[in-house]
Amino acid sequence: MEILSSFRISKTTIAILSLVLLFNIPYQASGHLLHRQKTIKYDLFASQIGGENTSNPYEPILKFLNSSKFPNRKSFPHGFLFGTGSSALQIEGASHEGGRGLGIWDDIVEQNKGPFLDADKFSSKIEHYKRYKEDVQHIKKLGVNSYRMSISWNRILPDGTLKGGINQEGINFYNNLINELLKNGIEPFVGIMHFDYPLALKQNYGGFLNRSIVKYYKDYSELLFKTYGDRVKHWTTINEVEFAALVQYMFNIENSSTDQTCTNTKICTQTYTLVHNFLLAHATTSKLYKKKFQAIQGGEIGLAITSGRYVPYSSNPEDVVAAQRLMDFYWGWILDPVFNGDYPRIMKEFVGNRLPKFTKKEKYMLKGSTNFIGINYYTSHFARHEPNRTKITADNYDALAVSEASNVEGKILGFKDQYGWSNVYPEGLYNFLIYIKEKYKNPKVYITENGIASSKISNPLKDGHRIAYVAAHLNATKAAINDGVNVQGYFLWAAFDTFEFQAGYSGNWGLYHIDFNDNLKRIPTDTAKWYKEYLTHDLRH
Ligand SMILES: *[C@@H]1O[C@H](CO)[C@@H](O)[C@H](O)[C@H]1NC(C)=O
Ligand SMILES: *[C@@H]1O[C@H](CO)[C@@H](O)[C@H](O)[C@H]1NC(C)=O
Ligand SMILES: *[C@@H]1O[C@H](CO)[C@@H](O)[C@H](O)[C@H]1NC(C)=O
Ligand SMILES: *[C@@H]1O[C@H](CO)[C@@H](O)[C@H](O)[C@H]1NC(C)=O
Ligand SMILES: *[C@@H]1O[C@H](CO)[C@@H](O)[C@H](O)[C@H]1NC(C)=O
Ligand SMILES: *[C@@H]1O[C@H](CO)[C@@H](O)[C@H](O)[C@H]1NC(C)=O
């Protein structure tokens, strides 16, 4: 009974969705905003759209979790990577030790202490740099076979360049960490750049706004392949390519007081320049890896994006098209170039000459430059047509579309989690995976991040909502695999409480909670115990 009432279906919503999702809607274009879109079948879970606010929305999932129908570990493909993850920037600490140079985020947090919670803990974090051996043991206890980590460019090359000198202590640290992981049966899944990069490159040359950074990025990557490539078989060039650019420029995290519009600031141009140079850095490095290292080392190289399924705000054709447009403005922005060699047509049209152009040679280099796509999935949104753009802080200013938490009827996607404070919509993950499969010819995919915060619970160790959240998303992942999507791994975010930018540590993202009052003690949460149980025992068969 609970199940029925918590996922009560709105007939109107279903009607809208069947129209939107199952058929091509032929309509007359009224103005240049309307383009006919090819629409794809991806509504396996459509009945869960419009879920309501109940006292325990997770109950159906928890019941299902205990049933024999829940996909166990063995039911995933052979060699599937089950892991967890973190990033150098968010856990290492030792910002001023071991010869590390400063990164751009050291500067951003230093300049904007106000909006960043726990700014005082930023330079020491959870001291992973010093406690990595202990941390590998914690990771091992989860029963995972892989760990997604990242390398700090400025720890390896303090000023970002080879000329400025290699920091041997930094080289040693990652050698030790990688060896420790392998010794414990855990495959490192390594990010070359996860948000941070050397401050000196930004201060001296304008960082990723300057195309010549591609050369420095390539030098740095080559050093990593040479040094660690004998042991590292999975490389990710850049994490959340589109989000890194939006956050830094269009959302203007560097200057939260801003209230400007694209018409009178250059940040709306810089966002596109940044992604352009990220993509060129990715493709150049990927080409180098494939040419010089891949045959000998036998690894793979890809990039990671954020993800989410945009669902039309209403049945109005303008909203239907807006949903497709946001898909292109977020994910097509990155995926079209790396699979097809160029930006989506709709972006060229809407952004005009602020969108940089690839040369013929660059297009050729970009096309097929990725062995896999890493998908970071948390939730999904509705998309509403919004021609009246004034503020730059919502979505992509140029998309003429904004994301909304509820649709025209006031319905939300999935249900609201009261503890982590976001909408839980595993169907969005399934739908996104099907979308990628159909649109980009079924590439290899890893779910490089998935998880939920525990920001609203008094005892962060009792994170039962996270168990249900993870279970529901594992189920959706398996459903996508059953329907032919080539998913090869799942990484639960995060291994430890991570510094989540402006939110500091308030989100309690870790499978291991960190007790800041007790010498940074790592304590397993209920989800850590459950994940271990799930991964190490085939309890349900
Ligand atoms: C859902 O419940 C929360 C907390 O009980 C409440 O604050 C919120 O307004 C409710 N939302 C809706 C759409 O009823
Ligand atoms: C699922 O099983 C666990 C024990 O394996 C039990 O503690 C829990 O209450 C069960 N949940 C439901 C919803 O039946
Ligand atoms: C871009 O970087 C190069 C060094 O690689 C430098 O010579 C040039 O001045 C930089 N351009 C800008 C605008 O900072
Ligand atoms: C931040 O934004 C304000 C208001 O738009 C502007 O006056 C100021 O110059 C900006 N500061 C930086 C460092 O960009
Ligand atoms: C567009 O925004 C302006 C300024 O915020 C407002 O005055 C106007 O009513 C808006 N127009 C529409 C159609 O929403
Ligand atoms: C689990 O996935 C199946 C599809 O494989 C879906 O039909 C079902 O609704 C999902 N269960 C839950 C509780 O999400």
Side-chain angles (χ1 to χ4, degrees), residues 128-268:
H128 172 69
Y129 180 76
K130 289 173 190 150
R131 297 171 68 156
Y132 75 91
K133 273 198 180 174
E134 173 196 345
D135 286 344
V136 169
Q137 289 310 308
H138 291 309
I139 295 164
K140 183 184 184 179
K141 278 193 206 120
L142 297 170
V144 298
N145 59 10
S146 190
Y147 174 60
R148 180 168 178 254
M149 54 172 270
S150 77
I151 291 177
S152 160
W153 184 346
N154 28 297
R155 196 178 281 293
I156 297 275
L157 299 170
D159 85 348
T161 71
L162 287 174
K163 221 166 139 193
I166 298 171
N167 174 31
Q168 193 57 39
E169 274 183 85
I171 295 277
N172 296 349
F173 170 67
Y174 296 108
N175 259 326
N176 294 339
L177 174 57
I178 288 164
N179 291 344
E180 194 70 15
L181 286 165
L182 288 167
K183 201 169 85 189
N184 285 283
I186 303 162
E187 248 185 278
F189 196 99
V190 177
I192 295 172
M193 192 172 87
H194 194 115
F195 294 138
D196 210 16
Y197 65 88
L199 181 61
L201 287 179
K202 189 171 171 189
Q203 288 177 336
N204 300 340
Y205 308 128
F208 270 89
L209 291 176
N210 184 338
R211 180 185 287 238
S212 69
I213 199 168
V214 170
K215 178 173 96 58
Y216 299 120
Y217 180 89
K218 184 181 162 207
D219 288 349
Y220 158 59
S221 303
E222 181 160 19
L223 177 61
L224 300 190
F225 300 148
K226 277 187 189 153
T227 314
Y228 308 118
D230 57 332
R231 287 152 291 153
V232 173
K233 302 303 165 197
H234 313 275
W235 295 101
T236 311
T237 52
I238 298 174
N239 181 60
E240 298 190 350
V241 186
E242 74 304 325
F243 190 68
L246 284 170
V247 154
Q248 220 182 314
Y249 289 92
M250 211 173 271
F251 295 176
N252 214 14
I253 199 163
E254 296 196 36
N255 184 3
S256 48
S257 67
T258 192
D259 188 25
Q260 299 167 314
T261 64
C262 268
T263 43
N264 60 24
T265 170
K266 57 183 192 288
I267 63 180
C268 289

Side-chain angles (χ1 to χ4, degrees), residues 505-516:
Y505 288 101
S506 65
N508 298 306
W509 283 89
L511 287 170
Y512 285 94
H513 178 63
I514 305 298
D515 189 344
F516 282 96

Side-chain angles (χ1 to χ4, degrees), residues 461-490:
L461 300 179
K462 296 282 154 207
D463 57 348
H465 70 292
R466 181 143 54 202
I467 297 176
Y469 177 96
V470 170
H473 289 79
L474 279 173
N475 182 52
T477 303
K478 184 58 171 50
I481 293 170
N482 291 349
D483 289 344
V485 183
N486 185 14
V487 188
Q488 296 290 338
Y490 173 93

Side-chain angles (χ1 to χ4, degrees), residues 353-403:
N353 58 17
R354 282 184 290 117
L355 188 68
K357 291 179 181 58
F358 295 114
T359 63
K360 246 193 179 151
K361 220 172 127 190
E362 288 167 349
K363 286 182 186 171
Y364 183 76
M365 180 174 73
L366 274 156
K367 201 171 167 176
S369 61
T370 199
N371 293 136
F372 64 84
I373 291 297
I375 285 174
N376 298 349
Y377 181 84
Y378 293 95
T379 190
S380 291
H381 293 95
F382 292 105
R384 185 171 59 75
H385 179 60
E386 176 52 86
N388 192 12
R389 44 184 186 186
T390 51
K391 289 272 175 82
I392 53 174
T393 47
D395 298 289
N396 188 320
Y397 172 89
D398 292 303
L400 304 191
V402 289
S403 49

Side-chain angles (χ1 to χ4, degrees), residues 338-506:
V338 300
F339 286 116
N340 305 326
D342 206 356
Y343 293 119
R345 188 175 53 83
I346 193 85
M347 286 192 78
K348 292 183 183 177
E349 193 178 317
F350 278 41
V351 183
N353 58 17
R354 282 184 290 117
L355 188 68
K357 291 179 181 58
F358 295 114
T359 63
K360 246 193 179 151
K361 220 172 127 190
E362 288 167 349
K363 286 182 186 171
Y364 183 76
M365 180 174 73
L366 274 156
K367 201 171 167 176
S369 61
T370 199
N371 293 136
F372 64 84
I373 291 297
I375 285 174
N376 298 349
Y377 181 84
Y378 293 95
T379 190
S380 291
H381 293 95
F382 292 105
R384 185 171 59 75
H385 179 60
E386 176 52 86
N388 192 12
R389 44 184 186 186
T390 51
K391 289 272 175 82
I392 53 174
T393 47
D395 298 289
N396 188 320
Y397 172 89
D398 292 303
L400 304 191
V402 289
S403 49
E404 298 280 2
S406 32
N407 68 4
V408 66
E409 291 175 52
K411 299 283 182 186
I412 61 171
L413 287 169
F415 55 83
K416 186 143 196 117
D417 179 290
Q418 304 298 324
Y419 315 103
W421 220 245
S422 61
N423 287 354
V424 179
Y425 188 56
E427 300 83 338
L429 173 59
Y430 171 85
N431 291 340
F432 189 80
L433 290 169
I434 297 289
Y435 175 83
I436 294 286
K437 173 187 169 222
E438 305 278 324
K439 185 153 185 184
Y440 300 105
K441 306 200 182 86
N442 205 13
K444 185 196 258 195
V445 169
Y446 292 97
I447 299 180
T448 35
E449 285 178 26
N450 177 239
I452 191 164
S454 288
S455 39
K456 304 278 170 182
I457 53 178
S458 49
N459 181 354
L461 300 179
K462 296 282 154 207
D463 57 348
H465 70 292
R466 181 143 54 202
I467 297 176
Y469 177 96
V470 170
H473 289 79
L474 279 173
N475 182 52
T477 303
K478 184 58 171 50
I481 293 170
N482 291 349
D483 289 344
V485 183
N486 185 14
V487 188
Q488 296 290 338
Y490 173 93
F491 294 83
L492 209 169
W493 184 267
F496 308 97
D497 285 347
T498 46
F499 191 96
E500 293 285 341
F501 306 105
Q502 287 179 327
Y505 288 101
S506 65

